[in-house]
Amino acid sequence: MELKIKVVEAQVLCDTYTADTVAALKQIRRHLDSTPYDSEYMQSVQQLQAYRSVGMGFDSLVQEYGKLQEAIENKKWGLTAAAPGLQVCRDGLRQPGTGVWETTGGHREQEVGT
């Protein structure tokens, strides 16, 4: 019985892959090999390997950075809500029109040129 199955399988393969079919498949293969898909694929694989080589510590740094950015935005919102007349700047608080601003360290300074 097993031998009969192998004979039938071989017959199906011979009927499926005729000489014309094999020639067409070879032509398709040459076309696929010559397309830039392979180079794009290799670039993607190299990029993925580069990201993996950075290590798992990088992921935690990115998450920590995101949390710090969120905390900064929350504090800026809190400062503007507490003192609506002040502008929150990168380096501290500024009172518009006065030329005086308070740094994040807590000391007040006069702007140059005012």
Side-chain angles (χ1 to χ4, degrees), residues 76-88:
K76 283 182 180 179
W77 178 84
L79 288 172
T80 56
L86 297 178
Q87 293 176 343
V88 179

Side-chain angles (χ1 to χ4, degrees), residues 21-34:
T21 306
V22 171
L25 289 173
K26 285 181 180 180
Q27 185 177 0
I28 291 170
R29 177 61 183 214
R30 281 193 302 272
H31 174 72
L32 290 175
D33 286 342
S34 67

Side-chain angles (χ1 to χ4, degrees), residues 2-47:
E2 187 177 329
L3 188 58
K4 178 138 177 118
I5 291 174
K6 287 187 179 189
V7 169
V8 170
E9 184 180 348
Q11 185 63 38
V12 169
L13 288 174
C14 286
D15 291 344
T16 304
Y17 296 106
T18 63
D20 293 337
T21 306
V22 171
L25 289 173
K26 285 181 180 180
Q27 185 177 0
I28 291 170
R29 177 61 183 214
R30 281 193 302 272
H31 174 72
L32 290 175
D33 286 342
S34 67
T35 59
Y37 169 78
D38 288 337
S39 63
E40 291 174 12
Y41 173 76
M42 290 306 294
Q43 287 175 349
S44 298
V45 168
Q46 288 172 350
Q47 264 188 326

Side-chain angles (χ1 to χ4, degrees), residues 67-81:
K67 287 177 184 176
L68 289 173
Q69 286 293 104
E70 186 177 336
I72 289 170
E73 289 301 317
N74 288 337
K75 290 182 190 304
K76 283 182 180 179
W77 178 84
L79 288 172
T80 56

Side-chain angles (χ1 to χ4, degrees), residues 76 79 87-94 101-107 109:
K76 283 182 180 179
L79 288 172
Q87 293 176 343
V88 179
C89 303
R90 183 175 159 223
D91 297 327
L93 300 173
R94 179 188 328 209
W101 58 281
E102 185 173 331
T103 65
T104 53
H107 53 284
E109 296 182 13

